[in-house]
Amino acid sequence: MEFNWSQEDGEFRRELAEFLDATLPSDWDEISKGGPGSEAQASFSREFAHKLAERGWLTQNWPAAYGGADATPWRHIILSEEMWSRGEPRGPQYMNVNWIGPSIMEYGSEEQKREHLSRISRGDVLWCQGFSEPEAGSDLAALRTLALRDGDVYVVNGTKIWTSYANHADFCFLLVRTDPNSKGRRGVSVLLTEMDLPGIEVREISSVVGERYFHEVFLADVRVPVSCRLGPENEGWSIVSYALQYERVGAPRYARAALTVDQIAAHARERGLLSDPMVLQKLGEARVLCEAARLLTYRVVDQRTRKLPPSADSNLARVAGTIADRAVAELALEVFGEDAMIYGSFADSNFRMAMTAGVAVGATEIQLNLIASRFLGLPRE
Amino acid sequence: MDFELNDDQRAILEAVGALLERHAGAERAIALAPKSEYDHALEEALHEAGFLELALGEGTGPLEAVLVVEAVARAGGVVAFGAGALVAPGVAGRSLSGPVAMASAGNGSPIRYGAHARSLLLLDADEASWITLEPGDAEPVRSSFGYPMGRVRSASGDSFGRGSGERMRNWWRVALAAEAVGTMDAALSVTIDYVKQRRQFGRTIGSFQAVQHRLAECAVLLEGSRWLVREAACLGAPSQAAAAAAAHATAAANRVFTETHQVSGAIGYTREHDLHVWSMRLQALRLEFGSIAGHQRALAEARWGEQSR
Ligand SMILES: Cc1cc2nc3c(=O)[nH]c(=O)nc-3n(C[C@H](O)[C@H](O)[C@H](O)COP(=O)(O)OP(=O)(O)OC[C@H]3O[C@@H](n4cnc5c(N)ncnc54)[C@H](O)[C@@H]3O)c2cc1C
């Protein structure tokens, strides 16, 4: 057991931080205000990810055979922390690296690997995740979008919802039902679908979280080549499980939250609030929650480093991260007070980012269900 | 970074596990409770087997000591092991055997093991001191909270010098948090066993989602505390990490107390059921040395306060 970073890892973090200081433009705070899915940030990401790729960092955690550098999961979490705490200059491309690429590596044909992995590792492509549907939220296996075989294409009909980044995406990691007579986890497949195929329509869903945050994706007689199917037909559920396990602890939101607490403290000092014992206490509490989420995430990273099978530790990390996000957002409101009523202000942006933490990437209750059954060994309801 | 026990650590935990199997456990704790007795036999056994020396041992350190503090607490040991095996080495550079109590100067509050202690580590602002207690220096205080408590009447001793106060504060917080982790772990596992076998409405209560979610949230808090404590010990108890560990573990302790009792129903309040051995102690740990809010403020001050600038 060891909680110090190795010297090399420490140097990597420093080098990365210097690179970010030098590379992020002076108006980066303005660009990143809208979150990874905003117009400004998504287009910035194309340029930025190129630069990361040139340094060999974008997909450093991938095997060398697929354009990576076989970097350890520890290196990858350092990279992710630095990116998230700066507001994620990779935009939506963090998903490519975290779980879309790895799923293609695990389940893809040689041709799919050639096509997609090289584009991702060059920083050339944006993806979106087409899982949720109006009737399939937490109960993802209730999905209905149908893909029927017609020669060497699938004809796809259905609706996807909440799809982040769909407005920018070149491709969709699309979950469909390929066996019309199936139910639940059987009979589903993943299609690596180009977003500009005829029949795909993306509509923004207006929300209070931010601009262009959510989308609906309508699929009407979309003809997707069978060669775009990832893995065997009707056996896509194992890909979903594989992908979700990487997605759950992919984005270290605690790193962002911890930096936010530092900024709240700086503001509190300016306003002379740091001598207020209540403010100190709440700052301490918020920081502790970020630290706990960090270590629970590290626990998962450690298991990945050892190539252990996925465990309920990722659910623990997710719940801890949500608790931290909420505490930090709440504190920002209290310390900034009525200033938070201004759209785009620090406390407001932070609050809107945090308000979805308990629902995005699997609702808290679902995480708790999984902890109860897999970690505590309690019987299913 | 490495979150797995190494071979030595595994061997230490196996050895202490076997020892605790013989010398500690709920039954032993319940037997000692009516007269607020100290477990001299357990302490002797831990001392003889060398567990007191881990923090300053060859090839071992505070992290190994913390693992054993967790284990002793999980087994319900009525010994001042955290103070003797972790705080004393951190402050004085040597372990202390014989019951050791810890107190903050001038507040006169009851302290754990106060009436049994032969030595006292006293924290007074920037300095910590070591005081040998004579019979009559302390009086027992009756408490609901699972440990023999006492109050030290008067004391003065040898200071470890300037700066020792900070060391004591930090190691005290780590020790306290490690004890809370072991104690929560036991409270939670007694409760999990119980909800798996208790049936109502034709099914085990552990299959109700309302019950599951309470316990699952406890698990999140407990595991977070566990890693915070281990990290703090490994890094040598820097003030921020020590305060973070204590703040998280005491807040978690409070929550685990509430939820384990809630899902255990009336039996949980009785001395027939083992839960109380651990649950009541959680409240003592939560109150000791400044309570949850005190640790949270300590962290904030260490990170953002005037001195840290
Ligand atoms: C910011 C954000 C971005 C997203 N991005 C994407 C994306 O890019 N692609 C995509 O496919 N999806 C995306 N989603 C959708 C997300 O995966 C779903 O919102 C999530 O899985 C929950 O589904 P739901 O919203 O339908 O809620 P529901 O499933 O209807 O849940 C509502 C409430 O009921 C509770 N509940 C449901 N089932 C149970 C149960 N068995 N036990 C106890 N409680 C239960 C939930 O915990 C929740 O509290 C995104 C969501 C958000 C908020």
Side-chain angles (χ1 to χ4, degrees):
Chain A
M1 209 173 279
E2 173 60 71
F3 296 87
N4 284 294
W5 290 105
S6 71
Q7 201 184 330
E8 299 80 48
D9 285 345
E11 271 161 24
F12 171 64
R13 195 191 286 274
R14 266 192 304 282
E15 213 183 317
L16 193 58
E18 280 166 20
F19 166 79
L20 286 167
D21 289 340
T23 310
L24 293 180
S26 53
D27 59 345
W28 169 244
D29 281 351
E30 192 57 35
I31 296 175
S32 62
K33 211 152 91 175
S38 69
E39 198 70 51
Q41 204 162 333
S43 59
F44 177 82
S45 86
R46 291 194 191 255
E47 176 194 329
F48 177 81
H50 267 296
K51 291 186 187 157
L52 265 191
E54 276 163 23
R55 295 261 174 154
W57 285 338
L58 182 63
T59 53
Q60 55 161 1
N61 58 316
W62 291 9
Y66 300 124
D70 289 305
T72 62
W74 290 115
R75 280 288 167 93
H76 186 51
I77 197 76
I78 293 173
L79 180 90
S80 307
E81 285 182 354
E82 293 301 313
M83 295 295 152
W84 270 86
S85 60
R86 307 255 188 158
E88 194 44 275
R90 294 172 299 173
Q93 293 196 51
Y94 72 91
M95 297 201 310
N96 303 0
V97 181
N98 287 353
W99 63 268
I100 292 173
S103 301
I104 294 172
M105 270 174 234
E106 183 74 15
Y107 296 96
S109 66
E110 285 314 309
E111 196 193 324
Q112 288 168 337
K113 290 181 194 172
R114 239 190 336 271
E115 179 187 357
H116 293 297
L117 297 180
S118 58
R119 287 190 69 180
I120 291 178
S121 61
R122 284 198 307 269
D124 258 353
V125 61
L126 301 187
W127 283 76
C128 63
Q129 175 193 42
F131 283 12
S132 303
E133 296 182 8
E135 304 303 323
S138 299
D139 185 11
L140 181 57
L143 69 110
R144 291 178 184 172
T145 295
L146 207 56
L148 294 177
R149 230 8 216 268
D150 179 15
D152 55 4
V153 299
Y154 288 106
V155 180
V156 183
N157 280 286
T159 306
K160 293 292 168 178
I161 196 167
W162 314 127
T163 327
S164 310
Y165 324 127
N167 51 330
H168 307 295
D170 307 300
F171 286 91
C172 180
F173 198 93
L174 183 68
L175 194 59
V176 295
R177 195 165 285 289
T178 34
D179 175 358
N181 300 314
S182 68
K183 263 191 160 164
R185 299 174 177 191
R186 294 220 186 93
V188 300
S189 304
V190 171
L191 301 180
L192 307 174
T193 305
E194 262 184 273
M195 286 296 282
D196 59 7
L197 291 180
I200 298 183
E201 192 200 335
V202 176
R203 252 185 250 163
E204 187 190 357
I205 304 173
S206 168
S207 85
V208 293
V209 184
E211 279 135 55
R212 315 229 58 169
Y213 226 82
F214 297 123
H215 307 85
E216 247 173 322
V217 179
F218 299 95
L219 301 128
D221 290 330
V222 180
R223 298 176 72 81
V224 181
V226 170
S227 62
C228 294
R229 193 189 65 230
L230 185 63
E233 186 169 70
N234 297 331
E235 286 170 31
W237 194 261
S238 53
I239 306 179
V240 171
S241 313
Y242 188 82
L244 289 182
Q245 144 224 317
Y246 280 95
E247 190 194 14
R248 241 175 241 134
V249 291
R253 294 173 66 135
Y254 61 80
R256 171 95 192 216
L259 195 76
T260 303
V261 184
D262 283 337
Q263 289 164 324
I264 298 171
H267 180 77
R269 179 182 292 126
E270 273 165 32
R271 300 201 10 192
L273 296 172
L274 260 195
S275 50
D276 180 341
M278 200 65 185
V279 171
L280 276 178
Q281 181 191 331
K282 294 222 160 172
L283 280 166
E285 182 186 19
R287 164 107 191 138
V288 169
L289 294 171
C290 298
E291 288 287 88
R294 174 178 63 84
L295 286 169
L296 289 173
T297 303
Y298 284 4
R299 170 79 174 140
V300 179
V301 174
D302 187 64
Q303 290 168 346
R304 259 180 215 165
T305 309
R306 290 165 205 288
K307 306 203 167 14
L308 295 173
S311 71
D313 287 279
S314 64
N315 308 107
L316 293 169
R318 265 292 293 156
V319 174
T322 298
I323 295 172
D325 254 347
R326 287 186 174 153
V328 173
E330 171 65 22
L331 178 62
L333 285 202
E334 279 194 30
V335 171
F336 284 83
E338 288 163 353
D339 289 352
M341 292 192 201
I342 300 165
Y343 179 83
S345 65
F346 175 78
D348 166 71
S349 302
N350 190 62
F351 185 81
R352 283 182 288 109
M353 280 282 270
M355 73 188 279
T356 65
V359 172
V361 200
T364 303
E365 288 71 19
I366 304 304
Q367 311 293 341
L368 292 174
N369 285 348
L370 293 169
I371 294 169
S373 64
R374 294 185 192 163
F375 194 78
L376 301 179
L378 293 173
R380 289 197 181 269
E381 194 168 35
Chain B
M1 287 286 168
D2 180 353
F3 279 52
E4 272 314 287
L5 298 171
N6 63 31
D7 289 345
D8 290 347
Q9 290 163 344
R10 214 165 288 135
I12 291 168
L13 283 182
E14 253 167 53
V16 79
L19 184 154
L20 291 166
E21 190 82 35
R22 265 177 289 130
H23 291 280
E27 216 177 299
R28 175 80 178 152
I30 291 170
L32 293 168
K35 290 195 202 143
S36 289
E37 285 171 86
Y38 189 84
D39 201 341
H40 294 284
L42 172 59
E43 178 159 295
E44 192 53 37
L46 287 165
H47 183 48
E48 261 172 32
F51 291 114
L52 229 57
E53 307 304 330
L54 286 172
L56 299 168
E58 209 167 302
T60 60
L63 179 56
E64 284 70 26
V66 146
L67 295 173
V68 175
V69 174
E70 274 180 37
V72 172
R74 192 182 317 112
V78 192
V79 285
F81 188 76
L86 192 65
V87 184
V91 179
R94 68 184 197 81
S95 66
L96 286 176
S97 65
V100 187
M102 295 188 286
S104 296
N107 83 358
S109 307
I111 54 179
R112 288 193 288 149
Y113 310 115
H116 297 276
R118 302 240 193 83
S119 43
L120 176 72
L121 287 171
L122 185 71
L123 175 63
D124 191 354
D126 198 27
E127 293 183 36
S129 51
W130 176 30
I131 294 151
T132 309
L133 295 176
E134 303 299 334
D137 282 350
E139 61 183 3
V141 174
R142 191 177 163 186
S143 167
S144 308
F145 293 154
Y147 295 99
M149 300 277 190
R151 187 181 278 125
V152 176
R153 287 202 189 91
S154 69
S156 68
D158 301 324
S159 166
F160 294 112
R162 291 203 152 270
S164 56
E166 187 59 14
R167 294 204 301 279
M168 177 161 172
R169 255 187 288 281
N170 294 335
W171 285 110
W172 190 347
R173 289 201 165 99
V174 175
L176 181 72
E179 288 186 70
V181 165
T183 309
M184 283 191 269
D185 199 343
L188 205 54
S189 74
V190 168
T191 306
I192 304 260
D193 289 346
Y194 180 71
V195 302
K196 277 187 194 164
Q197 57 87 23
R198 166 74 175 165
R199 295 178 73 85
Q200 286 292 280
F201 299 98
R203 50 198 268 214
T204 58
I205 58 171
S207 69
F208 291 117
Q209 199 182 47
V211 170
Q212 292 184 351
H213 283 193
R214 284 162 185 263
L215 298 177
E217 284 192 38
C218 288
V220 173
L221 298 177
L222 164 59
E223 294 307 314
S225 306
R226 190 191 304 283
W227 295 110
L228 283 165
V229 171
R230 291 176 179 183
E231 183 186 57
C234 172
L235 301 180
S239 6
Q240 283 189 39
H248 199 60
T250 51
N254 197 27
R255 181 76 183 275
V256 168
F257 173 88
T258 306
E259 305 298 8
T260 53
H261 273 291
Q262 184 59 28
V263 305
S264 299
I267 192 85
Y269 307 126
T270 67
R271 293 209 165 86
E272 287 160 39
H273 188 66
D274 291 347
L275 175 61
H276 74 281
V277 169
W278 291 282
S279 64
M280 299 309 281
R281 290 183 189 187
L282 288 175
Q283 290 301 354
L285 294 170
R286 164 266 175 104
L287 290 172
E288 186 169 300
F289 193 37
S291 198
I292 307 169
H295 304 304
Q296 291 168 338
R297 279 198 297 272
L299 167 58
E301 257 150 21
R303 188 168 181 81
W304 301 292
E306 288 308 323
Q307 278 152 4
S308 70
R309 301 192 72 190

